[in-house]
Amino acid sequence: MKPRCADYTDEIMSPEKVLSLLKRKFRKFSDTMELRDYRGGAGTDVGYQTLWVQVEKSKFLDLIDLLRELDFLHFHITSGDDIGEAVQLNYHFSLFRCAGRGKRLGVTVTVDVPKDDLVMPSLWQWIPGIEYSEREIREMFGVDFDGLPNKALIFLPEDWNEDIKPWRRDEAGPKPEDIRELS
Amino acid sequence: MAEGSNKTYKVPIGPVHVGLKEPITAWLDVDGERIKDATIRPGAIHRGIEFMARDRNPIQIIYLAERICGICSFAHIVAFVRAIEDAAKIEVPARAQYIRTIVLELERIHSHILWAGVACYTFGYDSAFHLGMILREKVMDVLEALTGNRVNYGTGTIGGVRRDITPTVEKVIREMIDLYRNEFSIFYDVVTQDPIAKARMRNVGVLSREDAVTHCALGPTARGSGLRVDLRWSSPYEAYCDMDIKPVVPQDHTGEVYGDVFDRFLVRVLEVYQSIEILEDALAGMPAGELMWEPKLPKLLNYLKQADGTGWSSIEAPRGDDTHAVRLTAGQENITWWKVRAPTYANAVSWPIMFRENDLADSPLIINSIDPCISCMERMVVTDRSSGAEQVVTKADLIERCRDKTRRMMGS
C-alpha cells in the first residue's frame, strides 16, 4: 500500500478523467459509477461535481489505494443502512479539497458488508480522522474494523448493552421495549 | 500538584453539551499544570436524532434538523434540504438560493461574534466580551426582522425558502452592515494590538498543518492551521457560485502560520468582514423570481414519495463543513435513513493534539478554539490516581484559573 501522505495536492485531475480511470481499473463496477453536476446562483455553470461508485468488499482497499494516489483522501463521514443480507456503508470523501475554486470532487464509495462476515479493513492508519466514524459504525451496526486501535464505544453510554446495535433492522437491532417514545 | 514528580493526574472536563454529536468529556492527563495527553469521550447527550428520523417524512425532518444546534440551525437545514434536493433532483429558484446565502452569512456573523466574545471572556477580557454581546444583538435583530425568530428561523424548506427579503428587511441588513463596518474593529484590535490577548493565545493549542490534514480538520480550525479550505470556494453552492470567495488563512494577513488559538481567532474575526462583503454582493445581485420549487406542500410530499436515491450535501457552516446524507426510497413517505456529521464531530478528533504540552489553565481556551458550544459545561473532577482522592472543581473554578493566568502575565 502507498504510505500515508499528509498534504493536499495542487495537481488536479478532472472529474471526467477520474471517472474514466475508475472505469478502466474497475471495469466490473462501471455500471455503478455516476458523476453528478451541481449548479447554483443565477448562472448555469457547473459549481462542482460528485462521483458515486459501488464496489465489492474485496476490491474496496484497491479502490481506496487508487484514490489515495490522486490526493490526500479527505474523509467526511460514513453513512449506512441495514439492507437485509448486508450492511451497506457509504464512505463520503473529498479529493482536491485545497486545489482551487470549484475543484473539489466529492467521492462516495458504497460497499456492502455481508452479515456473515461483518468486518471491514480500517482506514485509520492512512486517515486518522476516520476514527470516530469507524467507532460509530462499529457500535451502531456491529461492523468491526480490522486495524482500528481504539474500539471503545463513542456515542453510546458506558453501560449500554453492546448486543443491541441501534441502526440494525434485524434481530440485532433495538426491540420495541428498548425504545422510549417521547410523543 | 507537583510537576516533574512522575505522577500524572487525570482531569475529566465535561460532559460538554454542544449540539447533536458534540457533548464531549475530555479526560486530561496532567503532570503538575502540564497536560500530557487527552482522551475525548463524546456521547453524553446523543439523542438518536437519525434513528427518530426514520419515522418522519422529509418536511418533518426539517424541523428536527433545525434543532440539532441552536447557533447553526440554518446551516443544518440547508445541508439537509440540499441532500434531499440532490436525492430527488429538485432545482431551487435563484432568488431562494440568494436568500439562503444571506441567512447563512447572517448566521456566520452571529456565530463568529459570539465566539470572539466568549474567547475574550475566557481569558478575562470582559469589556470585549460585553461589547461582543452588544454587537451580536444587531444581527439577531436582523434575523428576527427577516424570519420572526432569533434562533431556529423556520425559513428553509425543500426546494426553496419560506420568507422573502422585502425592501424593509434589506434596509435593516444594510444598517447592520454599516454598524459592523464601524464597530466591529474592536475585535480586530484585540487580535492585532492587545499584547495580553496575544500572549494568551499565541502558541497555545497548536495544530500543525500536517495534523490538520490527516485528522480531517474543518472550517476555521483547518484554516487557522494554514489550509486553504472553504467549501464556498472549493465547491461553490447556492449564490456562492456567483461570487469570488477566497478562504481566509492567517498567512495572507500576518505572513506566517502558527496553527494556534490566536490564528483561529484571527481567521474568525476576518471572516466576519468577509461575510459582510458577501451580504452586500448577495443584496446587489439578488434576482427576482419564485421562492419555492413547489409551494403546495401535499404536491411536494407526493413528489418526494416517488423519489428514489441517495443525496449528499456538504456546506460551509460557521464551524466548518456540515455534511448530511439521506436516502429516499420510492413509495415510502418517510426517509429510509439520514446521517448528520456536524463540524465538531470532525474537529474534536484534533483536540488531543491541541491539548498536549499545554497548561491546564489554557484548556478552556483550547476547547473554545474549535468553537463548540460549551453552554452546559457543568464541572470537572480532579482525580489523584495514586491515592484515588477526588476533588471537584466547578466550571467557575476552571475559568478562574484561566483568568488568573492572564493576571499573572499582567503582573498584578
Side-chain angles (χ1 to χ4, degrees):
Chain A
M1 302 265 326
K2 190 172 167 264
R4 181 167 127 188
C5 80
D7 212 342
Y8 299 111
T9 180
D10 292 329
E11 294 168 26
I12 60 140
M13 190 186 259
S14 74
E16 290 75 17
K17 274 196 176 156
V18 176
L19 179 67
S20 65
L21 177 70
L22 290 189
K23 282 196 168 164
R24 203 166 64 239
K25 300 260 179 174
F26 295 88
R27 190 170 299 130
K28 193 175 159 195
F29 310 105
S30 50
D31 289 350
T32 68
M33 296 178 197
E34 181 193 356
L35 203 55
R36 292 188 196 167
D37 299 342
Y38 299 84
R39 289 176 175 78
T44 52
D45 294 345
V46 174
Y48 67 103
Q49 287 168 297
T50 58
L51 181 64
W52 301 69
V53 52
Q54 179 166 2
V55 288
E56 279 165 14
K57 194 174 120 182
S58 60
K59 295 285 175 216
F60 175 72
L61 274 189
D62 293 342
L63 175 65
I64 296 298
D65 235 16
L66 179 67
L67 294 172
R68 285 175 53 244
E69 297 276 336
L70 306 176
D71 192 8
F72 179 85
L73 200 51
H74 173 73
F75 171 79
H76 291 264
I77 193 63
T78 321
S79 60
D81 192 22
D82 179 349
I83 54 165
E85 292 300 301
V87 171
Q88 187 171 69
L89 298 181
N90 311 294
Y91 288 77
H92 302 281
F93 297 108
S94 277
L95 287 172
F96 318 127
R97 183 189 182 213
C98 215
R101 186 177 148 81
K103 302 295 186 208
R104 169 184 164 262
L105 174 66
V107 181
T108 301
V109 178
T110 302
V111 57
D112 287 354
V113 194
K115 281 195 182 158
D116 53 15
D117 183 24
L118 279 174
V119 184
M120 279 296 285
S122 169
L123 302 183
W124 177 83
Q125 57 175 310
W126 302 289
I127 312 171
I130 205 170
E131 179 188 336
Y132 283 11
S133 187
E134 289 191 345
R135 284 165 70 184
E136 180 182 42
I137 294 296
R138 189 178 172 275
E139 66 186 17
M140 297 295 181
F141 282 122
V143 177
D144 199 8
F145 286 89
D146 193 16
L148 179 68
N150 183 357
K151 297 184 182 179
L153 292 178
I154 183 114
F155 294 117
L156 295 176
E158 273 98 3
D159 57 354
W160 181 263
N161 174 3
E162 286 197 54
D163 293 335
I164 302 174
K165 306 294 179 193
W167 292 350
R168 288 276 284 276
R169 297 179 195 265
D170 55 12
E171 63 283 355
K175 314 256 176 317
E177 60 266 26
D178 298 323
I179 298 165
R180 187 163 52 103
E181 296 288 344
L182 294 177
S183 57
Chain B
M1 290 189 282
E3 191 162 357
S5 57
N6 282 334
K7 198 192 276 178
T8 54
Y9 296 82
K10 232 178 174 46
V11 181
I13 303 180
V16 187
H17 168 305
V18 269
L20 172 72
K21 290 286 178 52
E22 308 162 11
I24 276 168
T25 308
W27 290 83
L28 306 180
D29 286 325
V30 295
D31 179 9
E33 292 287 318
R34 278 275 156 195
I35 301 169
K36 290 295 170 191
D37 205 358
T39 313
I40 309 295
R41 177 63 164 93
I45 57 146
H46 191 282
R47 290 169 290 180
I49 268 187
E50 291 136 328
F51 183 85
M52 288 155 71
R54 289 177 177 187
D55 297 331
R56 285 165 168 80
N57 70 38
I59 295 289
Q60 289 169 321
I61 296 174
I62 294 175
Y63 297 92
L64 204 55
E66 190 153 44
R67 278 146 188 85
I68 289 171
C69 177
I71 295 175
C72 47
S73 61
F74 194 71
H76 275 290
I77 66 165
V78 170
F80 170 70
V81 299
R82 285 182 54 80
I84 289 282
E85 285 154 10
D86 181 23
K89 312 281 175 244
I90 291 173
E91 279 185 22
V92 181
R95 186 175 178 85
Q97 296 188 27
Y98 270 75
I99 295 171
R100 281 183 185 180
T101 304
I102 287 171
V103 183
L104 282 171
E105 291 309 319
L106 288 171
E107 196 172 72
R108 191 180 324 273
I109 292 174
H110 153 44
S111 179
H112 281 1
I113 295 182
L114 177 68
W115 181 84
V118 171
C120 292
Y121 163 83
T122 315
F123 59 80
Y125 198 161
D126 279 352
S127 38
F129 166 70
H130 290 297
L131 191 81
M133 291 301 108
I134 294 168
L135 284 176
R136 176 170 162 261
E137 276 306 300
K138 187 68 188 174
V139 65
M140 307 279 290
D141 287 348
V142 172
L143 283 162
E144 190 179 351
L146 169 60
T147 69
N149 288 326
R150 285 160 61 90
V151 289
N152 293 354
Y153 317 111
T155 294
T157 190
I158 294 162
V161 290
R162 299 173 59 234
R163 300 276 184 277
D164 199 2
I165 305 255
T166 59
T168 324
V169 173
E170 187 179 334
K171 188 164 160 271
V172 183
I173 295 176
R174 289 194 190 278
E175 277 171 21
M176 181 201 81
I177 290 172
D178 290 343
L179 178 87
Y180 285 160
R181 278 251 157 79
N182 296 324
E183 304 286 329
F184 188 69
S185 56
I186 179 72
F187 284 111
Y188 188 77
D189 293 345
V190 164
V191 171
T192 53
Q193 284 165 28
D194 191 293
I196 291 294
K198 196 160 189 171
R200 283 310 308 275
M201 296 194 284
R202 196 41 114 193
N203 290 316
V204 169
V206 172
L207 181 69
S208 71
R209 182 186 168 98
E210 183 181 340
D211 285 334
V213 172
T214 56
H215 289 72
C216 303
L218 308 169
T221 307
R223 291 193 281 278
S225 295
L227 291 177
R228 259 176 235 280
V229 290
D230 190 326
L231 290 167
R232 295 173 295 173
W233 165 76
S234 65
S235 53
Y237 50 94
E238 312 292 358
Y240 300 120
C241 284
D242 298 340
M243 295 171 193
D244 186 24
I245 293 162
K246 299 220 162 45
V248 176
V249 281
Q251 61 263 41
D252 291 351
H253 298 271
T254 60
E256 49 199 348
V257 184
Y258 290 80
D260 52 11
V261 176
F262 183 89
D263 278 351
R264 297 194 272 278
F265 192 116
L266 181 72
V267 164
R268 291 199 179 89
V269 168
L270 293 168
E271 279 183 7
V272 171
Y273 290 111
Q274 184 189 35
S275 292
I276 290 171
E277 280 173 22
I278 295 173
L279 282 174
E280 283 189 322
D281 284 354
L283 287 175
M286 188 146 65
E290 298 293 322
L291 290 185
M292 285 184 222
W293 177 75
E294 174 52 69
K296 294 192 187 74
L297 260 188
K299 211 170 161 185
L300 177 65
L301 275 172
N302 192 45
Y303 173 84
L304 290 171
K305 196 176 164 183
Q306 317 302 324
D308 195 282
T310 308
W312 167 24
S313 162
S314 289
I315 67 157
E316 192 72 22
R319 297 172 181 102
D321 152 5
D322 184 14
T323 295
H324 285 226
V326 71
R327 169 89 196 170
L328 298 175
T329 307
Q332 278 183 23
E333 198 164 309
N334 297 334
I335 59 126
T336 313
W337 54 258
W338 172 42
K339 182 80 198 89
V340 182
R341 200 287 319 268
T344 306
Y345 181 115
N347 283 335
V349 184
S350 307
W351 257 341
I353 302 166
M354 296 181 196
F355 276 128
R356 261 167 228 151
E357 294 304 323
N358 279 277
D359 279 358
L360 186 57
D362 289 327
S363 61
L365 253 183
I366 297 170
I367 292 179
N368 261 356
S369 72
I370 72 160
D371 192 10
C373 329
I374 53 164
S375 52
C376 295
M377 178 162 147
E378 295 157 334
R379 56 175 197 163
M380 52 189 278
V381 187
V382 180
T383 313
D384 180 342
R385 260 205 308 216
S386 56
S387 69
E390 270 193 6
Q391 179 195 355
V392 176
V393 198
T394 61
K395 175 192 168 193
D397 290 336
L398 189 62
I399 293 281
E400 197 44 46
R401 266 171 188 263
C402 190
R403 295 173 148 224
D404 256 352
K405 188 173 169 185
T406 305
R407 281 183 213 117
R408 285 201 303 275
M409 284 176 143
M410 294 170 78
S412 58

